[in-house]
Amino acid sequence: MKKTNAMRELDKNKIKYEFKEYEVDENDLSAIAVSLKTGEDITKIFKTLVLLNEKREMLVACIPGADNIDLKKLAKVAGCKKVEMLELKELFNMTGYIRGGCSPIGIKKRHQSFIHQSALTKDYIMISAGVRGLQLIIEPDELITYLNMVVGDIIV
């Protein structure tokens, strides 16, 4: 298996992780599908969302797979007037990743990162490794520290 940018970045920084491969269904790229295909608890699978603030600065938020982001809560935690989801057509140019394979690690430019507080209650979480069909298994504290993530209540 070829390592992804996210994996190489973690290796370079000596951050422990494991990975799990799964079969991709192009018609269902949801975190729930990842949960079913990997046999992992949906509350441990964190999806990566990319947003913009009012200054068009990128924000990255990781939330549990079955939940939805609360834009007002995220804006408040981020100290912004408002945030909005990045348009899908801009995702690759802004991050280097495609839908269903966006990782919070290895994005082209540094950015503010956020994670839902439920991550702190897990011994490990799964996040995209940067390609469809591959998840990283990582301790939440390692991810939070490495990306300097802000932890908060950012879901509906």
Side-chain angles (χ1 to χ4, degrees):
M1 183 202 69
K2 190 176 164 199
K3 291 215 173 187
T4 66
N5 287 342
M7 294 165 104
R8 283 191 289 276
E9 194 172 310
L10 291 174
D11 290 344
K12 181 179 156 194
N13 290 282
K14 297 180 176 31
I15 296 169
K16 292 183 302 191
Y17 67 91
E18 294 176 31
F19 61 88
K20 187 175 268 195
E21 292 181 90
Y22 63 94
E23 193 173 317
V24 177
D25 176 357
E26 298 290 331
N27 297 314
D28 188 357
L29 300 172
S30 71
I32 293 168
V34 173
S35 172
L36 293 171
K37 289 177 188 249
T38 60
E40 289 289 339
D41 178 351
I42 187 65
T43 67
K44 289 187 173 191
I45 295 176
F46 277 62
K47 56 189 174 188
T48 303
L49 304 174
V50 182
L51 306 98
L52 297 174
N53 67 14
E54 69 277 3
K55 298 176 189 168
R56 296 215 29 96
E57 296 167 331
M58 187 167 59
L59 307 170
V60 175
C62 294
I63 64 170
D67 292 311
N68 293 308
I69 192 85
D70 186 315
L71 298 176
K72 289 182 179 173
K73 285 181 180 179
L74 179 60
K76 185 175 182 183
V77 170
C80 302
K81 290 180 183 144
K82 69 173 196 156
V83 296
E84 61 186 21
M85 292 297 298
L86 179 72
E87 287 188 44
L88 190 55
K89 65 184 180 190
E90 295 182 68
L91 184 65
F92 183 76
N93 287 338
M94 297 268 309
T95 66
Y97 292 126
I98 61 172
R99 180 175 171 262
C102 188
S103 178
I105 303 164
I107 291 177
K108 294 178 185 179
K109 296 178 189 165
R110 277 289 171 190
H111 47 273
Q112 270 192 297
S113 296
F114 303 85
I115 193 164
H116 185 257
Q117 60 201 18
S118 66
L120 297 177
T121 67
K122 311 294 180 200
D123 52 344
Y124 68 88
I125 60 171
M126 292 176 65
I127 57 170
S128 175
V131 293
R132 292 175 180 167
L134 191 61
Q135 291 282 305
L136 295 175
I137 302 165
I138 191 166
E139 290 179 21
D141 289 342
E142 292 269 356
L143 181 67
I144 291 164
T145 301
Y146 177 64
L147 292 178
N148 195 24
M149 298 177 104
V150 176
V151 178
D153 178 14
I154 57 173
I155 60 173
V156 175

